[in-house]
Amino acid sequence: MLAVFERLALAAGREVMRVFRAGCAVDSKLDSSPVTEADRESEKIILAGLRAAFPEIPCVAEEEASAGILAPDLGDAFFLIDPLDGTKEFVNRRTDFTVNIALVRHGVPEIGVVFAPCTGRFFSGRPGKAEAIEINDYEIVDRQPISARAGMVPLTVVASRSHNTPETDAYIRALGAAEIVSVGSSLKFCLLAGAEADVYPRFGRTMEWDTAAGDAVLRAAGGMTRTLDGAPLAYGKRNQSDDEDFANPHFIASGKAAGPA
């Protein structure tokens, strides 16, 4: 399954970069968030590939979900797809947007890939094994195992480039962090997984397709993502009393040693 994820992420990333170089119109969805041809074409590639390879597993993809296209029952396992995580980065011609594909099983992000086609950074994770993948012309040429580190003191904190909040700033001040790394998209999880940072606090809105793939890579590398009450962040949340389907609560992602939650 991971090999299929990797192949589809590379194919989708190639299409994203075609649109990035050519330029495209930017539309707004009902929630006022941006969407582009790159989002739509990337999602088509990924969904076609997943549904051909695994027709029995439901797919939850950002653009289909925005259009109200969802399986009535997700069962014990389903795919979560964000065809272009960091659309704001993409639109603003920044480089840290990603293609995200994940398998969720029993509420846990179990397998995931995160591909940043503009920079070539590519990460994968499955239970007990996380890797940084080297590519050349959209072909995999090498793999290196990665592992989240025990938190260094003072901690290095990774924060959202486009969605920072006063709560996040207050949390970072309380940690006394020595360095703050600002990056967009699910690469934040991958920096933790690859021992480049220690903590990623998120006190802003996210959806499950934003986080599942990066979270899978982080957990495979020995880290964890927890809600503010300390419980592991769960997936497949529907019929929530206080928010829409698949919306995440605030969370703290960390390497092998967490900061205070």
Side-chain angles (χ1 to χ4, degrees):
M1 181 178 287
L2 186 57
V4 174
F5 282 17
E6 290 171 353
R7 174 176 58 81
L8 292 174
L10 288 167
R14 184 192 292 270
E15 180 64 13
V16 166
M17 289 309 299
R18 182 193 67 78
V19 178
F20 185 75
R21 288 188 291 265
C24 65
V26 181
D27 300 322
S28 293
K29 294 188 281 191
L30 291 177
D31 63 0
S32 298
S33 62
V35 61
T36 70
E37 178 189 355
D39 298 80
R40 299 184 182 105
E41 294 304 312
S42 174
E43 184 163 299
K44 287 179 185 177
I45 290 169
I46 296 167
L47 288 176
L50 290 177
R51 286 168 174 159
F54 311 103
E56 73 284 1
I57 300 179
C59 295
V60 177
E62 179 177 12
E63 304 314 325
E64 280 199 346
S66 295
I69 302 171
L70 288 167
D73 181 14
L74 298 179
D76 295 331
F78 64 98
F79 296 123
L80 269 170
I81 302 106
D82 191 338
L84 180 54
D85 183 33
T87 301
K88 288 184 178 179
E89 277 68 38
F90 179 91
V91 169
N92 290 317
R93 313 300 292 176
R94 294 195 286 258
T95 62
D96 45 358
F97 49 84
T98 61
V99 175
N100 298 347
I101 309 172
L103 173 74
V104 171
R105 195 185 306 274
H106 301 295
V108 177
E110 190 172 277
I111 301 173
V113 297
V114 175
F115 178 39
C118 203
T119 62
R121 301 204 78 179
F122 195 6
F123 300 88
S124 72
R126 65 179 188 269
K129 187 172 186 178
E131 293 179 318
I133 301 171
E134 182 181 347
I135 65 165
N136 182 32
D137 194 25
Y138 298 96
E139 296 288 338
I140 295 172
V141 297
D142 194 22
R143 299 171 180 271
Q144 295 294 328
I146 56 174
S147 179
R149 69 191 183 195
M152 302 175 67
V153 179
L155 298 171
T156 296
V157 179
V158 62
S160 174
R161 174 170 286 159
S162 301
H163 303 281
N164 213 359
T165 65
E167 294 90 344
T168 303
D169 293 338
Y171 180 87
I172 292 171
R173 285 196 299 271
L175 285 180
E179 182 179 4
I180 300 172
V181 179
S182 180
V183 66
S185 75
S186 53
L187 285 171
K188 294 182 282 293
F189 291 97
C190 299
L191 296 184
L192 301 180
E196 298 178 51
D198 302 296
V199 181
Y200 163 33
R202 185 59 182 244
F203 293 88
R205 182 175 179 79
T206 59
M207 303 298 289
E208 292 183 12
W209 43 78
D210 297 320
T211 62
D215 196 0
V217 173
L218 175 59
R219 296 189 196 203
M224 179 53 69
T225 303
R226 299 184 183 276
T227 59
L228 300 189
D229 61 5
L233 181 64
Y235 291 79
K237 300 180 292 292
R238 303 183 82 171
N239 302 313
Q240 301 189 85
S241 61
D242 57 347
D243 212 333
E244 65 184 280
D245 288 0
F246 307 108
N248 285 324
H250 297 169
F251 61 80
I252 309 294
S254 63
K256 291 181 179 177

